[in-house]
Amino acid sequence: MTGHHRLEGRVAAITGGSGILGRAMAQTLAEVGVRLALLARTPEKGEAVARDLAALGAEVIYVPCDVLDAASVRAARDVVFTRWGRCDILINAAGGNHPRATTGDEVWSPEAAIGPTFFDLVSEEFFDIVGSNLLGTVIASQVFAEHMAGQHPPGVIVNISSMSASRPMTRVPAYSAAKAGVENFTRWLAVYLAKVGIRVNALAPGFFLTEQNRTLLLDERGQWTQRAQRILDHTPMGRLGQPSDLSGTLLWMIDEEYSGFVTGVTVPVDGGFSAYAGV
Ligand SMILES: NC(=O)c1ccc[n+]([C@@H]2O[C@H](COP(=O)([O-])OP(=O)(O)OC[C@H]3O[C@@H](n4cnc5c(N)ncnc54)[C@H](O)[C@@H]3O)[C@@H](O)[C@H]2O)c1
């Protein structure tokens, strides 16, 4: 990636930094010389991703962090500040859906229900999904943004939304509600932080095959499910996203030279999915 040399030496904290999209965004930033803190729950995974990125030349640390635990996020921030004395970029990429928070049917049919219905989902599973996607974004923003205020270069927060935010996808009620909350919170925080120079925007990826949606998109034989086929049919570009598809939009969003007057927006990176009415 060229044209983003001014980002060299900045520091980014990425929650969910060892997930598939988090890692891809970390790699994009490493390629322009951003120093990285991967904030993730599972040490083996976080350390392995940090090692892989370091082998590619990245300056990177893994920091244990559960975004649902404010004390753990504060401890992670302290590690980042001890190491580099600042944080310029926060990417809130922790989140995703879980099969336990997913209904079997798209539309309830009491006589022929397939798998768990909405009424079978238990509140703990709802809490977990709304927690990791929405509250995790709120907590990490709270913990980091206070220390980014008035910084030069200016601080930036990037949240991760979804196609499910504006029109909820079937079967994933907690995830959809959480991502709608993320977009709403993105606008709220953008206004709140505007005078201290921190911009807050969101990326809304279309459909990318990752751990959190694998069981919705692939069957036991590794073939597309009917749901995946419908997604492809409703994506004018006719394919799922590749993690690297997020790179250009992410760099644009972070680099104040290109997007310095942009705050409070959500940008879809979705191959046209959100523009297409289906006919
Ligand atoms: N894959 C897609 O098609 C898609 C589409 C739109 C949005 N997203 C969003 O992109 C983001 C990244 O997801 P992904 O697709 O790379 O999936 P992924 O499962 O590979 O990564 C998600 C990561 O978040 C971490 N995480 C979850 N809860 C956490 C917590 N409490 N504390 C710390 N880390 C936690 C997981 O351990 C995992 O590493 C998520 O917010 C997801 O909702 C994904």
Side-chain angles (χ1 to χ4, degrees):
M1 289 283 172
T2 54
H4 295 283
H5 50 274
R6 70 195 65 75
L7 299 181
E8 190 173 346
R10 293 195 194 174
V11 176
I14 307 179
T15 73
S18 61
I20 291 181
L21 299 186
R23 179 207 159 112
M25 290 189 278
Q27 188 165 335
T28 296
L29 296 185
E31 283 165 9
V32 296
V34 172
R35 295 175 287 175
L36 303 166
L38 307 180
L39 275 50
R41 267 184 313 190
T42 318
E44 305 76 53
K45 212 169 126 194
E47 279 159 5
V49 173
R51 265 196 311 277
D52 289 352
L53 291 172
L56 299 172
E59 204 175 329
V60 54
I61 52 172
Y62 158 69
V63 188
C65 178
D66 179 343
V67 293
L68 283 178
D69 174 357
S72 144
V73 183
R74 281 195 293 272
R77 177 202 58 204
D78 292 347
V79 172
V80 176
F81 275 75
T82 302
R83 175 71 184 256
W84 287 305
R86 60 189 293 118
C87 178
D88 304 290
I89 301 157
L90 170 67
I91 301 180
N92 284 309
N97 188 48
H98 194 278
R100 285 198 315 270
T102 304
T103 65
D105 279 329
E106 296 187 351
V107 178
W108 190 34
S109 133
E111 297 78 29
I114 303 171
T117 70
F118 169 65
F119 309 99
D120 298 322
L121 301 183
V122 299
S123 55
E124 285 79 4
E125 285 148 12
F126 251 78
F127 278 126
D128 274 359
I129 297 300
V130 175
S132 59
N133 288 280
L134 174 59
L135 299 180
T137 297
V138 172
I139 292 170
S141 300
Q142 225 178 9
V143 168
F144 278 88
E146 195 175 359
H147 297 264
M148 293 160 87
Q151 262 185 199
H152 292 284
V156 190
I157 298 176
V158 175
N159 296 329
I160 308 298
S161 182
S162 149
M163 292 298 105
S164 222
S166 47
R167 284 178 304 164
M169 277 184 292
T170 56
R171 303 186 55 198
V172 292
Y175 182 71
S176 301
K179 291 300 192 188
V182 168
E183 286 198 13
N184 187 288
F185 175 65
T186 298
R187 292 191 288 272
W188 185 88
L189 194 63
V191 172
Y192 191 71
L193 296 176
K195 292 272 167 55
V196 296
I198 303 174
R199 296 183 299 115
V200 187
N201 292 297
L203 281 175
F207 296 86
F208 295 64
L209 183 61
T210 62
E211 293 318 314
Q212 52 109 3
N213 57 17
R214 191 167 294 277
T215 55
L216 284 169
L217 299 180
L218 291 178
D219 64 21
E220 315 74 54
R221 293 167 299 134
Q223 309 289 322
W224 291 131
T225 58
Q226 274 185 1
R227 185 178 179 90
Q229 197 54 58
R230 271 166 43 215
I231 288 167
L232 289 166
D233 293 344
H234 282 77
T235 302
M237 290 190 173
R239 65 172 176 87
L240 297 192
Q242 296 294 329
S244 59
D245 286 324
L246 299 175
S247 303
T249 311
L250 176 68
L251 289 170
W252 167 81
M253 201 169 256
I254 285 172
D255 191 337
E256 68 279 0
E257 190 75 15
Y258 291 90
S259 60
F261 199 46
V262 178
T263 194
V265 305
T266 298
V267 178
V269 182
D270 66 349
F273 182 90
S274 56
Y276 184 43
V279 284

